DNA sequence: AAATAATGAATGAACGTTCATTTTTGAACA
DNA sequence: TGTTCAAAAATGAACGTTCATTCATTATTT
């Protein structure tokens, strides 16, 4: 075991103890503070001292939860990405038709990106900069499988355009991030009608 | 005049002298180095000293061209954004039909994003972080007018979906940035056929 | 009272910026 | 063409600040 083994024990406890420990509270306060400060000032202007202060924690304490700043960013990224994909596939059933399944997933993602703005903005920043390392980026990508499988099925059924999944993602899912950005910068809130219009645009771009 | 007036004189010379001055060479070396280092390491890991070294220039010299690091980033952003929009509208004529005009602009933007990868990646990073200040962001947005006008015309003609221009942008232009990202990360090059498929997806999402 | 968690002042490295000094430039003159 | 010299440009060591990280000490929990 390496010098981080005690952290793993803590992680073990977090997973298998049903009580919410104090350390869990502090950790999630740190995660929240990190997301908040990185969103508002960028990674380069989110010093550990400020993150600690925002979380109501001493600077030194951060290093009980994370090895260093880079490790913290990586872990936060992976956690938020996991929450994002979990949300994306909630209520999803493999028995859905391709069209049903896609609408379900798309609207979940839209709901996440337009409502959990803090998390979504953080992800957008991480995905467009060298902030997080390649390994964490790969890790974050894992949980998207069900969507890729759905598209593959759709292509076999002749419902979905026979193009690279990257293109499908680029034209149907990725635009939601832009919608979130403008909604945030323009201080407006998209109406359900607008979201439905957006969904139709997404579907029109990938349907055969 | 403020303490930067001598810079303005330099800027005047740059604009009105046909010779390429040495200072112009150094400035553009700085701009190139900035783009390169920010792309590879992010803003927070692109120190002035490294930028200077990459540009073959002494650290102190940077401040003859830019007030400070923030000013440098802002200026580089505005310049690259201007180059981007200039490229986007090359060969564009107001006499084009809406469909012709859109295809022209879309393919220009795709060409820029997929070939001038360094510049495009830099823009993508700036557009998704608080790296550049709000004023510079607004400045960079100015030159997109012709596309918005085209869409408005298309909507009057009933060719383009009657939705917010932000949605039109999100689903037709923004995806190109994702295409660039994956092309870069996957070390592959999109074929002309794939680009055409992508264009069709863009058009399908915004056409009525 | 032993074990665990948290503290925060201290440390050293790294950064952006400054400015006294050196180098380069180019117009004027021989 | 070659020389001079004041102005302009460039240099890079030095400065003050900020940052991530450490660890001896204190507080809390069990």
């Amino acid at each position: 075991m390496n010098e981080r083994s005690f952290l793993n024990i803590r992680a073990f406890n977090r997973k298998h103890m049903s009580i919410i420990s104090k350390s869990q509270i502090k950790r999630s306060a740190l995660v929240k503070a990190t997301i908040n400060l990185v969103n508002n000032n960028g990674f380069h202007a989110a010093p550990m001292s400020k993150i600690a202060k925002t979380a109501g924690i001493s600077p030194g304490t951060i290093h009980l939860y994370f090895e260093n700043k880079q490790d913290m960013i990586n872990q936060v990224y992976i956690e938020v990405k996991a929450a994002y994909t979990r949300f994306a596939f909630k209520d999803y059933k493999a028995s859905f038709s391709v069209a049903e399944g896609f609408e379900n997933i798309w609207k979940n993602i839209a709901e996440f990106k337009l409502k959990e703005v803090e998390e979504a903005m953080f992800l957008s920043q991480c995905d467009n900069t060298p902030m997080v390392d390649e390994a964490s980026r790969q890790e974050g990508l894992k949980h998207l499988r069900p969507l890729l499988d759905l598209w593959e099925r759709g292509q076999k059924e002749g419902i979905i355009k026979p193009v690279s999944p990257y293109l499908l993602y680029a034209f149907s899912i990725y635009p939601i991030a832009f919608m979130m950005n403008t909604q945030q910068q323009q201080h407006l809130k998209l109406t359900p009608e607008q979201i439905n219009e957006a969904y139709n645009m997404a579907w029109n771009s990938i349907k055969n």
Side-chain angles (χ1 to χ4, degrees), chain A:
Chain A
M1 287 220 193
N2 60 22
E3 71 282 354
R4 280 179 67 198
S5 57
F6 73 95
L7 284 175
N8 293 336
I9 288 167
R10 213 199 292 253
F12 177 88
N13 282 337
R14 233 179 298 119
K15 275 201 172 169
H16 297 88
M17 312 269 280
S18 54
I19 56 152
I20 296 172
S21 65
K22 287 210 175 175
S23 63
Q24 203 174 348
I25 292 172
K26 289 204 174 158
R27 212 194 100 106
S28 77
L30 271 174
V31 170
K32 268 223 168 76
T34 302
I35 293 171
N36 191 278
L37 286 171
V38 167
N39 274 344
N40 289 312
N41 312 103
F43 180 76
H44 73 283
M48 297 295 259
S49 55
K50 216 173 187 175
I51 292 173
K53 188 176 276 182
T54 305
I57 274 173
S58 165
T61 308
I62 298 184
H63 295 270
L64 298 178
Y65 297 89
F66 305 101
E67 231 178 304
N68 51 45
K69 194 179 181 182
Q70 183 63 60
D71 175 55
M72 185 172 79
I73 293 285
N74 289 340
Q75 286 198 39
V76 172
Y77 172 76
I78 291 173
E79 281 179 31
V80 176
K81 195 86 173 189
Y84 160 71
T85 36
R86 225 179 300 123
F87 197 98
F89 296 116
K90 87 177 145 88
D91 309 325
Y92 177 72
K93 284 168 184 54
S95 58
F96 280 165
S97 76
V98 172
E100 278 171 352
F102 178 72
E103 183 167 354
N104 174 251
I105 295 166
W106 192 94
K107 292 200 167 163
N108 282 343
I109 292 179
E111 189 184 341
F112 184 90
K113 295 237 181 211
L114 298 174
K115 291 192 176 154
E116 307 293 324
V117 181
E118 286 270 293
E119 277 90 348
M121 275 176 51
F122 180 77
L123 286 182
S124 167
Q125 217 172 135
C126 291
D127 286 329
N128 286 283
T129 66
M131 241 171 73
V132 302
D133 60 32
E134 192 50 33
S136 308
R137 194 165 264 123
Q138 288 302 324
E139 174 70 26
L141 223 73
K142 273 187 187 171
H143 311 283
L144 221 63
R145 256 271 68 90
L147 178 58
L148 303 184
D149 290 342
L150 183 77
W151 278 336
E152 213 175 310
R153 176 151 67 94
Q155 289 175 328
K156 277 184 188 142
E157 294 178 13
I159 295 171
I160 300 288
K161 265 202 158 67
V163 300
S164 152
Y166 293 114
L167 281 188
L168 297 176
Y169 192 91
F171 282 92
S172 65
I173 307 297
Y174 195 60
I176 304 175
F178 188 85
M179 290 164 56
M180 170 202 69
N181 271 323
T182 52
Q183 181 188 265
Q184 209 55 17
Q185 280 161 24
Q186 309 272 325
H187 306 289
L188 43 86
K189 209 166 147 16
L190 293 179
T191 65
E193 291 80 33
Q194 286 176 308
I195 292 173
N196 244 314
E197 273 163 351
Y199 167 72
N200 286 331
M201 293 173 80
W203 179 249
N204 283 339
S205 70
I206 67 166
K207 76 157 189 230
N208 218 345

